[in-house]
Amino acid sequence: MSVESTVRAVTTLRLTEMKQRGEKIAMLTSYDYSMAKIVDAAGIDVILVGDSAANVMAGYETTLPITLDEMIYHARSVVRATKRALVVVDMPFGTYQGNSKVALDSAVRIMKETEADAIKMEGGEEILESVQRILSAGIPIMGHLGLTPQSIHKFGTYTVRAKEEAEAAKLIRDAHLLEEAGCFSCVLEKIPAALATRVSKELRIPTIGIGAGSGCDGQVLVIHDMLGINKGFSPRFLRRYADLDTVMTNAVTQYIDDVKSLDFPNEKEQY
Ligand code: KIV
């Protein structure tokens, strides 16, 4: 088997080329085989196996509790379904923030056990040693700056980040540090659009925004939010493309009625 046949169509290099041509990058999360199959076949560029799985799949309040083993389980399911998109997997909280050797071990486990294409890590200067160590092992990294949900207990709120000059200056510095270290892309979450546009213009690598305006090189949303499965979450940046909560509730209530009224199964639906 040639190397080409094992590599998915969208590569980290292709994302850089998309930025150079001015073609926007579309990224969505997925956490399981069936959803990833639909998202990939629809033509998405990047699938993120986000640690938002902790919220939308497991029902936790924050992303902190999800474990490396659980992320690996989700990522393996997604990779099995994905033929075209680049698959990026979040490094969960506690697997890279301290010791860079532990960080490398965590990243190697993700790459070996899932066959994903890349990992994502939250933070800038604070995690630079881990970033450099992982990159030097040949593992591609997507950075993540701005609102970094794994630090929610430090921020105390999910409101817009980097509105103040000092925080914006740090974010710009961090973005350049990540690019210089060799990250192939960077998520910018919930920061002012003008700041995200500036960072996107200054960097050669593509930025992927969520609540960061139209000046980013790409956009990402959590699939449960954009499909309207997770109706309790309605931030200003979210556009809902479907109301699956209503569709699914109607289907389930219809099924219950059909079973109770002896309408299901009918003669054609049995052997
Ligand atoms: O975990 C996640 O889904 C993310 C995106 C919101 C960027 O990190």
Side-chain angles (χ1 to χ4, degrees):
M1 194 188 284
S2 70
V3 173
E4 283 75 16
S5 67
T6 65
V7 170
R8 279 175 278 278
V10 182
T11 60
T12 56
L13 178 65
R14 177 128 179 231
L15 298 184
T16 310
E17 291 167 353
M18 287 170 78
K19 172 165 180 148
Q20 286 163 355
R21 296 199 286 275
E23 180 184 343
K24 296 284 185 183
I25 297 163
M27 173 160 124
L28 279 173
T29 65
S30 293
Y31 318 97
D32 67 86
Y33 177 85
S34 303
M35 190 73 90
K37 203 161 184 212
I38 294 171
V39 170
D40 186 55
I44 203 77
D45 298 309
V46 185
I47 295 181
L48 172 65
V49 185
D51 60 355
S52 49
N55 310 120
V56 297
M57 300 299 287
Y60 291 116
E61 285 271 321
T62 73
T63 57
L64 274 65
I66 200 158
T67 65
L68 187 56
D69 284 339
E70 287 166 340
M71 286 304 296
I72 287 172
Y73 166 78
H74 286 297
R76 287 165 85 150
S77 310
V78 167
V79 166
R80 278 195 290 272
T82 306
K83 293 195 162 64
R84 179 183 174 277
L86 185 89
V87 180
V88 181
V89 183
D90 256 332
M91 293 266 277
F93 174 69
T95 62
Y96 63 94
Q97 287 90 348
N99 179 326
S100 65
K101 170 78 174 58
V102 173
L104 177 60
D105 290 346
S106 311
V108 166
R109 273 202 65 198
I110 290 177
M111 298 302 283
K112 257 187 189 298
E113 296 179 35
T114 73
E115 297 185 69
D117 302 299
I119 57 158
K120 177 163 82 59
M121 297 164 71
E122 295 182 6
E125 194 176 3
E126 322 70 40
I127 59 157
L128 197 60
E129 192 186 315
S130 294
V131 166
Q132 286 165 335
R133 195 159 190 162
I134 292 168
L135 285 168
S136 65
I139 299 173
I141 300 178
M142 177 179 273
H144 184 153
L145 298 172
L147 177 64
T148 47
Q150 291 179 12
S151 308
I152 184 58
H153 294 304
K154 178 173 143 201
F155 298 143
T157 159
Y158 287 106
T159 54
V160 180
R161 305 299 316 171
K163 280 161 94 175
E164 309 300 329
E165 211 176 299
E167 197 182 339
K170 174 173 165 25
L171 187 142
I172 294 168
R173 234 182 12 256
D174 282 343
H176 283 282
L177 280 176
L178 293 175
E179 172 168 278
E180 280 156 25
C183 291
F184 70 92
S185 173
C186 187
V187 166
L188 299 176
E189 179 162 355
K190 235 176 167 187
I191 61 170
L195 175 61
T197 302
R198 174 175 169 187
V199 172
S200 305
K201 283 189 176 146
E202 288 186 13
L203 296 188
R204 290 180 311 276
I205 59 170
T207 59
I208 312 286
I210 175 163
S214 59
C216 296
D217 303 303
Q219 298 294 326
V220 58
L221 287 175
V222 170
I223 189 112
H224 289 65
D225 300 339
M226 62 87 77
L227 291 179
I229 298 175
N230 180 23
K231 266 186 158 170
F233 183 66
S234 305
R236 171 170 161 178
F237 68 76
L238 175 63
R239 186 179 293 182
R240 277 199 213 294
Y241 287 84
D243 181 4
L244 288 199
D245 180 301
T246 303
V247 171
M248 291 168 78
T249 303
N250 289 344
V252 173
T253 52
Q254 183 65 56
Y255 169 74
I256 295 168
D257 287 351
D258 289 353
V259 170
K260 306 251 177 215
S261 66
L262 312 184
D263 181 79
F264 177 79
N266 64 25
E267 273 186 17
K268 287 189 199 144
E269 290 163 332
Q270 60 195 6
Y271 300 98

